[in-house]
Amino acid sequence: MSASKVYFTNFRATFTENLLQKLARLVKNAGMLEQIDFKNQYTAIKIHFGEPGNLAYLRPNYSKVIVDLIKEQGGKVFLTDCNTLYVGGRKNALDHLDSAYTNGYNPFTTGCHLLISRHLLVSCHLVHLHLL
């Protein structure tokens, strides 16, 4: 098996490029948009919406960058996360959506719908975003 390419950028912004623009450039340079045919395809972006009161999650404006890039390629994109086994704000689908909304995730901030599911019963591409 060949070694994976890892793309990295720092969190420095400039007067000509903010962090959201850097993310878009990183995704384009990584070749994701050329390697996957998104046209008319359901595309799930698996993301951690965060527990209420916690800060260890990717902010919605970053996910919107990826959503917009996939939509530009004709993809039918949505964000998804799975419920947790432990008791908390993500223990069932309704509480999970409330947690997502509390943390700023909604169709208006992300540009797409949110689906909470244990199993997705559709054929789709999966893009996994996570905070390192």
Side-chain angles (χ1 to χ4, degrees), residues 16-32:
T16 58
E17 186 177 50
N18 64 37
L19 293 177
L20 301 176
Q21 292 166 326
K22 282 180 86 168
L23 175 59
R25 182 170 52 88
L26 184 72
V27 169
K28 290 175 184 176
N29 288 343
M32 182 182 85

Side-chain angles (χ1 to χ4, degrees), residues 26-41:
L26 184 72
V27 169
K28 290 175 184 176
N29 288 343
M32 182 182 85
L33 302 176
E34 290 79 32
Q35 294 175 15
I36 301 173
D37 178 16
F38 290 108
K39 189 171 178 74
N40 296 318
Q41 298 293 314

Side-chain angles (χ1 to χ4, degrees), residues 44-58:
I45 298 178
K46 166 57 176 88
I47 194 163
H48 171 55
F49 295 126
E51 289 284 351
N54 192 336
L55 297 176
Y57 61 90
L58 193 66

Side-chain angles (χ1 to χ4, degrees), residues 1-7:
M1 178 156 66
S2 64
S4 297
K5 289 184 181 180
V6 176
Y7 294 85

Side-chain angles (χ1 to χ4, degrees), residues 7-97:
Y7 294 85
F8 171 82
T9 189
N10 58 38
F11 280 105
R12 292 187 188 104
T14 66
F15 291 112
T16 58
E17 186 177 50
N18 64 37
L19 293 177
L20 301 176
Q21 292 166 326
K22 282 180 86 168
L23 175 59
R25 182 170 52 88
L26 184 72
V27 169
K28 290 175 184 176
N29 288 343
M32 182 182 85
L33 302 176
E34 290 79 32
Q35 294 175 15
I36 301 173
D37 178 16
F38 290 108
K39 189 171 178 74
N40 296 318
Q41 298 293 314
Y42 291 104
T43 304
I45 298 178
K46 166 57 176 88
I47 194 163
H48 171 55
F49 295 126
E51 289 284 351
N54 192 336
L55 297 176
Y57 61 90
L58 193 66
R59 300 306 179 267
N61 54 341
Y62 290 98
S63 61
K64 186 172 186 334
V65 170
I66 307 300
V67 167
D68 288 347
L69 289 171
I70 293 171
K71 284 175 126 181
E72 288 172 9
Q73 302 296 311
K76 299 175 181 181
V77 64
F78 58 95
L79 300 179
T80 188
D81 197 4
C82 297
N83 294 330
T84 60
L85 293 175
Y86 58 84
V87 176
R90 298 180 299 134
K91 65 184 174 292
N92 62 60
L94 292 178
D95 290 344
H96 202 147
L97 279 174

